[in-house]
Amino acid sequence: MKIFTEGDYEHMSMMAANVVAPYICSGMTIGLATGSTPIGLYGELVKKCRANKIDFSRIKTINLDEYVGLDKDSKQSYRYFMDSFLFDLVNIDKRNTFIPNGNGDLDKECKRYDELIERYPIDLQILGIGHNGHIGFNEPSDSFSKNTHVVELTKSTMDANSRFFTGEKMPEKAITMGIAQIFSAKSIILLVNGESKADIIREALLGPITPRVPASILQLHEDLTVIGDMAALKYV
Ligand code: F6R
């Protein structure tokens, strides 16, 4: 495991962009996360693209998760998030960007996503971490999940993410890649910032490996890079 502790969110995002850029230039398949943590990274990648330093035209992206039941054009959907923070701002071919569809036949969608990940193995997976240790929307549980599946969101996740839902009811379910699929990525970058994540990141990186803290499985990954700010990484 490599750990980069940067002074603040801005420097952490710049460092993350420098690590991700070569994967983009070489046309790899990249697993993407949403949430507030990677927004700075996406901003830095947009800057590099606009300066003609990186070219998104050959990459494929596979997002971790999506809410169940949101309208396709909902501003809270992860498709909308990805379009506004990255895809609409760089020269990516949107036909090569994949996000689970949280509407319609969910069993079929889980199967379609599993096949997609098998067809395009993930070279680099970008992750954030929830306050309860979730990665993707894999909530604390009795066992590590394998494939794409539908989850009931926990109270901790509902509380953390309800800030994004003003005037719209937050979905209580999501569709997410499984832990084994995340783990199968050749390389993983875990991003974390802010004091409020300091305890959970210590538990995830230094505590026992348990499905009660889903991110703890990452301790076993052979190419894990953690990039965070000093506030989040003060105990590790
Ligand atoms: C979102 C995702 C989640 C977030 C996590 C942290 O695609 O996979 O696991 O990474 O909930 O969210 P933020 O970054 O908002 O603290």
Side-chain angles (χ1 to χ4, degrees), residues 9 31-42 62-67 75-87 98-100 113 125-130 134-137 161 163-164 174-176 191 193 197:
Y9 180 70
L32 296 178
T34 56
S36 51
T37 311
I39 290 177
L41 159 65
Y42 297 151
I62 304 189
N63 264 76
L64 284 165
D65 43 21
E66 178 59 283
Y67 290 109
K75 294 201 167 148
Q76 271 73 38
S77 77
Y78 285 166
R79 166 56 70 181
Y80 186 90
F81 176 102
M82 288 311 307
D83 285 348
S84 20
F85 286 110
L86 189 64
F87 299 156
F98 302 101
I99 300 183
Y113 222 65
Q125 177 66 55
I126 294 163
L127 293 176
I129 183 172
H134 74 215
I135 47 177
F137 272 134
N161 289 10
R163 67 198 146 119
F164 299 113
I175 180 165
T176 181
L191 298 175
N193 71 291
K197 298 272 177 79

Side-chain angles (χ1 to χ4, degrees), residues 103-118:
N103 285 306
D105 184 335
L106 298 177
D107 285 344
K108 253 198 188 153
E109 179 59 6
C110 290
K111 242 185 116 218
R112 180 190 78 91
Y113 222 65
D114 288 346
E115 283 163 11
L116 187 79
I117 295 164
E118 244 183 84

Side-chain angles (χ1 to χ4, degrees), residues 17-185:
N18 288 338
V19 176
V20 174
Y23 289 85
I24 294 175
C25 292
S26 41
M28 301 263 181
T29 296
I30 305 186
L32 296 178
T34 56
S36 51
T37 311
I39 290 177
L41 159 65
Y42 297 151
E44 292 300 324
L45 293 177
V46 170
K47 279 192 218 160
K48 284 186 191 295
C49 183
R50 290 194 171 152
N52 286 325
K53 290 194 174 143
I54 53 175
D55 169 19
F56 282 75
S57 65
R58 292 187 306 124
I59 69 163
K60 291 191 173 52
T61 64
I62 304 189
N63 264 76
L64 284 165
D65 43 21
E66 178 59 283
Y67 290 109
V68 165
L70 285 184
D71 194 74
K72 194 171 110 313
D73 301 319
S74 164
K75 294 201 167 148
Q76 271 73 38
S77 77
Y78 285 166
R79 166 56 70 181
Y80 186 90
F81 176 102
M82 288 311 307
D83 285 348
S84 20
F85 286 110
L86 189 64
F87 299 156
D88 284 342
L89 311 177
V90 296
N91 68 326
I92 201 163
D93 180 345
K94 279 218 204 157
R95 287 168 304 182
N96 290 332
T97 67
F98 302 101
I99 300 183
N101 178 2
N103 285 306
D105 184 335
L106 298 177
D107 285 344
K108 253 198 188 153
E109 179 59 6
C110 290
K111 242 185 116 218
R112 180 190 78 91
Y113 222 65
D114 288 346
E115 283 163 11
L116 187 79
I117 295 164
E118 244 183 84
R119 189 161 8 117
Y120 303 124
I122 297 170
D123 295 301
L124 173 69
Q125 177 66 55
I126 294 163
L127 293 176
I129 183 172
H131 290 100
N132 60 5
H134 74 215
I135 47 177
F137 272 134
N138 291 282
E139 301 283 36
S141 140
D142 293 337
S143 59
F144 289 110
S145 64
K146 291 195 175 70
N147 295 334
T148 312
H149 58 289
V150 174
V151 284
E152 306 264 348
L153 300 177
T154 58
K155 185 173 177 320
S156 155
T157 302
M158 298 282 293
D159 289 348
N161 289 10
S162 57
R163 67 198 146 119
F164 299 113
F165 289 84
T166 40
E168 192 175 353
K169 192 176 173 291
M170 185 180 162
E172 291 173 9
K173 287 184 182 174
I175 180 165
T176 181
M177 247 186 229
I179 293 283
Q181 288 169 318
I182 293 171
F183 196 83
S184 73

